[in-house]
Amino acid sequence: MTDTGFLALVLALVFAIYGIVASIVGGRRDLPELVASGRNTIYVVAGLVSVAVAVLLQSLLTDNFNLEYVATHTERSLPVLYKFSALWGGQAGSLLLWTIMSCGFAVAVTVAFRKSALSFRPYVNAVLLLNIAFFISVVLFAANPFKHLWHTATGGIVSAMFQPAGATAIVPTDGQGLNPQLQNYWMVIHPIALYLGFVGMTIPFACAVGALVTRQVGNTWIKLIRKWALVPWLLLTLGIILGSQWAYIELGWGGYWAWDPVENASLLPWLTATAFVHSITIQERRGMLKVWNMVLIGLTWELTLFGTFLTRSGVVESVHAFAQSPIGPM
């Protein structure tokens, strides 16, 4: 059953790559059928990633300790709410959550733009699929939550997706449990809000790329993405506020938390996004700041990736940061 989640991600990556090529070629050569195929690929990829998330969540809730991720982030006595939040309590699961959120936003904007932005929509789809394909690749090749635990022929314990030669499967009687600092109700909702804010910035960025490629840098794309910029900004604001409450309760930082490098990583894109949501209003009303808006949304999206790298590469030490892993180079 758990291998189904891995297979779904592999298929999702294949379809995402096809969708990128189909969208770009269809847009460049004005082939509506190919553009439509690329657009429909977004639905297929979202469905496959949803299968992977459902499989991992089911494994967490049913204590399938043969999976390394389940064994290291849950235990039998863990309340169901925290078993659910264990989905994003570890590196691999949180990246999978990031991926499914990217798919959700991509599906939402595809439905919303089905009758508008026809000229640059193929490039928007290509950017969205490229973003999704990248995070699927990270999950598959650097932080795979579907690795099993195995006893090797020499008596050691390894985690691997497929059975090593001479190895036998291990099913521990119990898991290690979730980090006690993460067993807090703020940590159940804080990462969700923060990730939605981060991932949501991909939509205005993708539209900006589409506008640049088709040389439509006027107000058309600004009118389309106003709410797609405002909603992620609000969610990012909420996520930062909730995170400060968690820090106050769990870490005793006295409410002052901005010195932490990971918290700064979430604040940086918030600052540029705040400037962006104000600046696009000026462009729409007065036709000014066109180049500045492109710079702001590009910088905002880049800073979300930088924050992701900072948190997960092991380059900084923080109570928020994940351990050293192969994710950094990717």
Side-chain angles (χ1 to χ4, degrees):
M1 176 64 182
T2 54
D3 291 344
T4 303
F6 177 78
L7 179 60
L9 288 178
V10 172
L11 290 174
L13 180 60
V14 172
F15 276 105
I17 293 172
Y18 164 77
I20 295 166
V21 175
S23 296
I24 294 175
V25 173
R28 296 285 290 178
R29 299 186 179 181
D30 195 20
L31 300 173
E33 296 83 2
L34 205 54
V35 171
S37 180
R39 180 197 65 224
N40 292 335
T41 301
I42 291 177
Y43 302 125
V44 176
V45 171
L48 289 168
V49 175
S50 298
V51 170
V53 172
V55 169
L56 182 59
L57 188 57
Q58 191 265 347
S59 298
L60 289 166
L61 294 176
T62 58
D63 299 323
N64 182 4
F65 297 125
N66 177 243
L67 287 186
E68 180 192 26
Y69 187 82
V70 177
T72 54
H73 292 91
T74 64
E75 57 186 332
R76 295 189 185 279
S77 61
L78 193 68
V80 174
L81 178 64
Y82 295 131
K83 285 185 179 181
F84 189 86
S85 66
L87 177 65
W88 54 86
Q91 175 115 279
S94 65
L95 285 166
L96 186 58
L97 178 70
W98 189 295
T99 307
I100 190 60
M101 285 182 174
S102 297
C103 292
F105 273 106
V107 169
V109 79
T110 300
V111 172
F113 288 0
R114 63 186 181 277
K115 294 182 180 179
S116 57
L118 299 178
S119 56
F120 64 77
R121 193 171 62 190
Y123 305 104
V124 174
N125 294 340
V127 173
L128 294 175
L129 285 168
L130 181 62
N131 181 66
I132 293 169
F134 168 72
F135 280 99
I136 292 175
S137 300
V138 172
V139 172
L140 285 175
F141 302 117
N144 187 351
F146 297 107
K147 286 183 178 180
H148 302 278
L149 291 173
W150 306 94
H151 256 309
T152 63
T154 58
I157 298 176
V158 298
S159 62
M161 188 60 228
F162 303 105
Q163 183 176 6
T168 56
I170 303 174
V171 183
T173 56
D174 205 353
Q176 297 178 15
L178 190 65
N179 186 328
Q181 290 183 332
L182 301 182
Q183 296 181 37
N184 181 288
Y185 55 90
W186 290 115
M187 281 304 293
V188 176
I189 55 177
H190 153 59
I192 295 291
L194 202 63
Y195 285 9
L196 285 172
F198 277 156
V199 175
M201 292 301 172
T202 307
I203 303 303
F205 172 75
C207 292
V209 172
L212 279 172
V213 171
T214 57
R215 300 182 181 181
Q216 300 180 47
V217 293
N219 291 349
T220 302
W221 76 279
I222 291 293
K223 293 178 180 178
L224 285 173
I225 59 92
R226 180 191 291 174
K227 63 181 179 182
W228 296 97
L230 187 59
V231 170
W233 176 81
L234 288 170
L235 290 168
L236 185 58
T237 304
L238 178 63
I240 292 173
I241 293 172
L242 295 177
S244 70
Q245 291 301 303
W246 168 74
Y248 179 78
I249 294 171
E250 288 290 336
L251 306 178
W253 285 351
Y256 182 73
W257 46 270
W259 55 268
D260 184 79
V262 175
E263 295 291 358
N264 280 332
S266 64
L267 183 63
L268 288 174
W270 182 86
L271 293 172
T272 55
T274 301
F276 179 71
V277 296
H278 288 81
S279 186
I280 57 176
T281 303
I282 297 176
Q283 177 176 337
E284 187 176 358
R285 293 179 179 178
R286 301 183 183 179
M288 302 167 58
L289 305 179
K290 294 179 181 179
V291 175
W292 180 235
N293 283 328
M294 288 290 179
V295 171
L296 282 176
I297 190 56
L299 189 59
T300 299
W301 190 73
E302 191 66 35
L303 285 172
T304 64
L305 292 184
F306 174 72
T308 308
F309 165 77
L310 199 66
T311 308
R312 301 169 188 283
S313 61
V315 297
V316 297
E317 292 186 7
S318 166
V319 69
H320 293 80
F322 293 93
Q324 187 78 32
S325 74
I327 287 177
M330 290 189 69

